[in-house]
Amino acid sequence: MSKKVTQIVEELVIPILSELQMELVDVEYVKEGKDWFLRVFIDSEKGVDIEDCGNVSEKLSEKLDEVDPIPYNYFLEVSSPGAERPLKKMSDYEKAIGKQVYVKTYEPIDGEKVFEGELASFDGSIVTINIMVKTRKKTVEIPVDKIANARLAVTFH
């Protein structure tokens, strides 16, 4: 297989989502125990409900049956990314400015690898986060290529 399963699925699902005025957040193809799961996370400006997920699942399932890119039996799951949605694309970071985020880096920055705070800005290569250290606000700049994973963070006050 020259293309990864996730790439093929992205190519199949993006036209479906465009037609429905939705966006693709992420695609995962993972083995858990003895079972394979193909997970497609979708969102839209108005949010996503169970009907939306069912509709996309049905349309995508038809396309997957035609192309048949996966040699194993698998479970297809289409869902919303939830409140702690991952930040993967440049546009995800741009939309998250002003929101609480959780960022984990590959290597320490200022002696830390985990940062949680308000995403202050994003210039395409640097993520700037305002974090609270006890009672003091600190600004941290993190190069995007040093980020292992990032997501929106739910905070309780």
Side-chain angles (χ1 to χ4, degrees):
M1 229 183 304
S2 61
K3 279 187 185 173
K4 288 182 9 191
V5 168
T6 53
Q7 288 176 305
I8 294 167
V9 172
E10 280 182 26
E11 289 171 9
L12 295 175
V13 78
I14 286 174
I16 295 167
L17 294 174
S18 292
E19 187 181 303
L20 299 170
Q21 295 176 332
M22 294 181 185
E23 68 169 307
L24 178 64
V25 175
D26 199 11
V27 175
E28 291 179 349
Y29 180 58
V30 293
K31 189 172 186 181
E32 294 178 3
K34 60 180 179 40
D35 296 319
W36 284 91
F37 290 86
L38 176 59
R39 294 189 176 110
V40 178
F41 298 95
I42 61 173
D43 207 356
S44 77
E45 290 293 320
K46 63 176 178 38
V48 172
D49 63 22
I50 193 110
E51 275 183 47
D52 295 326
C53 294
N55 192 10
V56 171
S57 179
E58 205 173 289
K59 292 176 185 295
L60 178 57
S61 200
E62 289 173 16
K63 292 285 182 195
L64 287 167
D65 288 346
E66 286 172 25
V67 178
D68 201 18
I70 303 172
Y72 314 102
N73 288 336
Y74 62 94
F75 295 96
L76 173 62
E77 297 176 354
V78 176
S79 67
S80 155
E84 293 191 335
R85 120 181 228 161
L87 304 176
K88 299 228 175 199
K89 300 180 283 228
M90 300 290 177
S91 61
D92 295 338
Y93 286 99
E94 289 162 2
K95 288 180 194 168
I97 291 171
K99 296 181 180 168
Q100 292 294 310
V101 295
Y102 169 92
V103 175
K104 188 172 185 181
T105 58
Y106 290 113
E107 57 196 50
I109 294 174
D110 294 339
E112 300 290 329
K113 287 177 78 171
V114 175
F115 304 90
E116 197 162 333
E118 181 187 328
L119 180 59
S121 66
F122 173 66
D123 70 3
S125 61
I126 302 285
V127 171
T128 304
I129 302 175
N130 292 326
I131 60 173
M132 291 301 291
V133 180
K134 294 184 179 152
T135 58
R136 195 173 50 86
K137 190 188 262 189
K138 178 181 172 186
T139 300
V140 179
E141 292 187 343
I142 305 169
V144 172
D145 61 356
K146 301 274 191 260
I147 296 175
N149 64 49
R151 60 175 167 74
L152 292 178
V154 176
T155 52
F156 300 96
H157 298 280

